[in-house]
Amino acid sequence: DESHVETSSSDESTSEVCITDGDSDALVHLRDNIERNRPTTTTDSTSKVSCHQLIWGKDSSQKFLQHIAHNQKYHVLLASDIIYSAVIVQPLWETVQTLLEKEGGVFIMAYARRKKVPVSIDLVLETAVEWGFGYELVKEDLEDGIWVYEFRFR
């Protein structure tokens, strides 16, 4: 599952959550979950949750930024268990660089070690630095093989 959550807020009185995935089938389930968990009565009209397809890479993320995010970069990008192949590491950072707010933006990523996935966290971290990001390990679970990192523009 390559789901992401992007959040944007143009001011402190409104917030928007955009859930993304590159897989069309996963989007069907994500949209269903959003509908099933949406409050039946809402007094808070300042929050909005949406779901869209996002294919990683510079061109597709620029189109996403323009057409879906209305050129409003995101303050927070949140991703979990998204690294399955070495070929997606570059497009991941192209996407983060395109969508993340430069001043104060943070990309939080949970990396899970997988036996059948030949991608090391070192490759992900080295590529992040090449793309202009600094990082910090904020949580480590050695038993389950999960590491949570925060990335910010340097």
Side-chain angles (χ1 to χ4, degrees), residues 23-56:
D23 182 86
S24 299
D25 292 335
L27 289 170
V28 172
H29 297 293
L30 288 170
R31 288 182 178 123
D32 182 53
N33 283 335
I34 290 169
E35 283 306 310
R36 284 193 282 149
N37 291 291
R38 190 181 307 275
T40 53
T41 60
T42 181
T43 57
D44 182 13
S45 61
T46 61
S47 296
K48 181 181 173 189
V49 178
S50 61
C51 183
H52 301 277
Q53 186 172 43
L54 174 60
I55 305 297
W56 292 348

Side-chain angles (χ1 to χ4, degrees), residues 78-106:
L78 177 65
S80 177
D81 199 16
I82 58 171
I83 306 297
Y84 293 92
S85 170
V87 299
I88 60 93
V89 175
Q90 284 286 102
L92 166 66
W93 292 110
E94 290 175 2
T95 301
V96 174
Q97 189 175 62
T98 300
L99 297 180
L100 187 64
E101 185 74 49
K102 280 211 184 284
E103 293 297 321
V106 61

